[in-house]
DNA sequence: AAAGCGTGGAG
DNA sequence: TCTCCAAGCTT
């Protein structure tokens, strides 16, 4: 197997990057290395688009400008700040990692990839990215962009250990001694702007001449599309309103762990006995991994205000005053629902 | 080691 | 509207 990367193509790539590359807020300059910001950006950017990350990165760095600031925050607030980005374990891992850094490294973020790699939430990619961007190490950070580029350069339909080894050593060999991270950034942005998953702009590509997929006209079909079926679900939600407070449930495991949600009607013990429907809110779609769930929220109020307290029969729940919902981390679909609740209450 | 983990933007 | 998939990691 071959990858036709040489000094000339690497040079062409870097020149392309300097002309067409985009500078993001997390790009540390050589004189003001912001290690923390680079790390945060890498975590946010995993499986998440640059467009979605940019505004959230700014607010996160404002609230948690240093590892210490994050280490001092409680989980609820950390998740609230992460809300909307998804994959909430990333935020939890980051919080655990900064706590470890405080105790094991005296608050100093380690420079060596092997040490970074031991922190929770830091895998091969992020370790290499931080080491190269923040500390100038010659380590290839290979992400989805890099894999796609490698597959197209070599016209291989599968990404395997062999291709990884060949590509990694080729990249690391060509990384300049001065600012080697620029090579990683160049590859990623090439994948983002030119060597895109669909309709790659080969006419603008500095590597077009050494690309086998392009040579064979197979750039559109490498890598092959993956397709998986979407499972449809429909869930009725119970928004229980009692004495100015709303019932919420905290998810303790699985999807949305640590986030607060409105319980499903089916989860409430004796719903008809204690509660009466008082209005409907508009449906919301909660799409996650391979599910597409339609949420149908209904407001309920106590059918007998003077009776004994109703049985909820559901653990990890609590009634919160309306203003408090603002502070609870929720999945975004539930956040949209919570935004409608005050309007409905005006009619009660 | 295959599957779980969220969401929004782009086409 | 619908499909694809993104600067991955963990178990």
């Amino acid at each position: 197997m071959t990858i036709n990367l040489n000094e000339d193509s690497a040079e062409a790539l870097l020149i392309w990057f300097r002309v067409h590359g985009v500078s993001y807020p997390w790009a540390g300059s050589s004189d003001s290395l912001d290690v923390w910001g680079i790390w945060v950006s890498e975590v946010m950017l995993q499986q998440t688009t640059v467009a979605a990350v940019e505004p959230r990165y700014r607010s996160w760095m404002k609230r948690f400008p240093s590892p210490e600031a994050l280490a001092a925050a409680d989980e609820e607030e950390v998740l609230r700040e992460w809300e909307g980005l998804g994959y909430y374990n990333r935020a939890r891992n980051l919080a655990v990692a900064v706590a470890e850094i405080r105790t094991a490294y005296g608050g100093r973020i380690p420079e060596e990839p092997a040490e970074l790699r031991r922190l929770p939430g830091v895998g091969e990619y992020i370790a290499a990215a931080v080491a190269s961007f923040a500390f100038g190490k010659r380590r290839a950070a290979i992400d989805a962009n890099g894999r796609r580029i490698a597959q197209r350069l070599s016209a291989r339909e599968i990404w395997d250990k062999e291709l990884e080894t060949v590509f990694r050593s080729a990249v690391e060999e060509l990384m300049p001694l001065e600012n080697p991270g620029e090579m990683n950034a160049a590859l990623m942005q090439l994948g983002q702007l030119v060597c895109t998953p669909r309709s790659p702009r080969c006419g603008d590509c500095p590597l077009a001449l050494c690309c086998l997929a392009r040579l064979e006209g197979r750039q559109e079909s490498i890598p092959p599309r993956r397709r998986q079926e979407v499972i449809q679900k429909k869930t009725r939600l119970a928004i229980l309103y009692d004495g100015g407070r709303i019932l919420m449930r905290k998810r303790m495991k699985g999807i949305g762990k640590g986030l607060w949600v409105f319980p499903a009607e089916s989860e409430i013990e004796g719903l008809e006995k204690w509660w009466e429907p008082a209005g409907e809110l508009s449906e919301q779609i909660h799409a996650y991994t391979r599910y597409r769930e339609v949420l149908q929220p209904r407001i309920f109020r106590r059918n007998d205000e003077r009776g004994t307290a109703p049985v909820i029969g559901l653990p990890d729940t609590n009634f919160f005053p309306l203003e408090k919902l603002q502070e609870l981390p929720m999945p975004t679909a539930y956040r949209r629902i919570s935004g409608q609740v005050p309007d409905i209450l005006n009619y009660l």
Side-chain angles (χ1 to χ4, degrees):
Chain A
M1 178 197 337
T2 55
I3 292 220
N4 292 323
L5 280 178
N6 57 27
E7 285 84 357
D8 291 339
S9 42
E11 185 64 24
L13 174 61
L14 290 177
I15 288 171
W16 170 86
F17 178 64
R18 285 163 196 156
V19 174
H20 301 283
V22 183
S23 180
Y24 294 117
W26 45 83
S29 63
S30 52
D31 45 336
S32 77
L33 289 180
D34 188 346
V35 182
W36 171 237
I38 288 168
W39 182 11
V40 167
S41 73
E42 294 304 338
V43 175
M44 282 191 177
L45 284 162
Q46 64 164 321
Q47 305 290 280
T48 309
T49 56
V50 168
V53 164
E54 257 190 299
R56 306 306 306 279
Y57 172 82
R58 295 179 198 282
S59 60
W60 177 278
M61 293 304 284
K62 194 171 176 187
R63 174 60 190 86
F64 305 119
S66 65
E68 296 75 36
L70 177 60
D74 60 57
E75 180 176 300
E76 201 103 297
E77 197 194 349
V78 171
L79 292 176
R80 182 70 185 87
E81 190 62 44
W82 199 266
E83 189 181 294
L85 285 169
Y87 291 136
Y88 296 90
N89 267 332
R90 293 184 294 175
R92 263 188 294 269
N93 285 147
L94 203 47
V96 172
V98 293
E100 283 181 17
I101 284 174
R102 186 171 53 176
T103 58
Y105 293 97
R108 198 96 183 133
I109 298 172
E111 295 190 18
E112 292 304 322
E115 290 178 300
L116 288 163
R117 185 71 180 75
R118 288 189 212 111
L119 299 166
V122 178
E124 280 306 306
Y125 167 79
I126 291 185
V130 172
S132 66
F133 292 143
F135 299 116
K137 310 278 185 190
R138 296 177 74 216
R139 294 288 290 248
I142 303 171
D143 67 336
N145 292 301
R147 290 196 293 275
R148 185 172 60 254
I149 290 168
Q151 285 182 252
R152 285 181 176 157
L153 289 178
S154 62
R156 298 260 295 194
E157 296 209 340
I158 49 163
W159 174 260
D160 56 14
K161 204 69 195 167
E162 187 190 6
L163 180 53
E164 180 183 348
T165 305
V166 170
F167 184 61
R168 181 181 300 280
S169 55
V171 170
E172 290 186 346
E173 201 128 320
L174 293 168
M175 284 178 122
L177 299 174
E178 185 91 355
N179 193 10
E182 192 179 27
M183 183 70 78
N184 285 331
L187 280 167
M188 286 185 249
Q189 293 204 17
L190 185 71
Q192 192 189 334
L193 303 171
V194 173
C195 195
T196 49
R198 282 171 291 185
S199 311
R201 301 162 176 80
C202 299
D204 300 330
C205 184
L207 303 182
L209 292 179
C210 57
C211 180
L212 289 184
R214 166 68 169 162
L215 189 68
E216 299 170 10
R218 295 201 290 147
Q219 66 273 22
E220 296 273 2
S221 56
I222 295 177
R225 300 276 166 276
R226 55 173 174 138
R227 185 193 322 279
Q228 61 178 345
E229 70 170 305
V230 177
I231 301 164
Q232 311 281 347
K233 290 179 67 177
K234 192 169 284 193
T235 305
R236 295 180 178 282
L237 298 180
I239 298 174
L240 304 188
Y241 179 69
D242 182 22
R245 289 134 81 87
I246 303 274
L247 183 74
M248 302 292 292
R249 177 170 69 88
K250 187 176 186 176
R251 292 208 170 136
M252 302 307 283
K253 59 184 172 71
I255 197 92
K257 186 171 91 176
L259 305 187
W260 292 84
V261 297
F262 301 106
E265 289 189 8
S266 60
E267 293 174 308
I268 304 299
E269 201 168 290
L271 185 67
E272 275 95 64
K273 180 180 176 193
W274 299 101
W275 304 89
E276 64 180 20
E280 304 208 350
L281 283 66
S282 54
E283 288 184 353
Q284 297 296 329
I285 304 296
H286 189 203
Y288 50 95
T289 53
R290 50 182 211 286
Y291 295 93
R292 184 179 180 281
E293 185 178 21
V294 179
L295 302 176
Q296 302 177 306
R298 277 203 294 176
I299 296 240
F300 291 83
R301 60 185 163 192
R302 290 279 300 285
N303 58 11
D304 177 12
E305 297 290 341
R306 286 165 299 181
T308 49
V311 175
I312 300 301
L314 188 61
D316 309 310
T317 59
N318 194 16
F319 279 94
F320 291 101
L322 212 47
E323 323 82 68
K324 176 73 173 152
L325 297 192
Q326 204 56 233
E327 299 164 29
L328 299 180
M330 304 179 197
T332 53
Y334 291 78
R335 174 66 62 200
R336 289 193 292 269
I337 292 170
S338 79
Q340 304 171 34
V341 172
D343 301 337
I344 289 285
L345 294 183
N346 288 335
Y347 296 101
L348 296 189

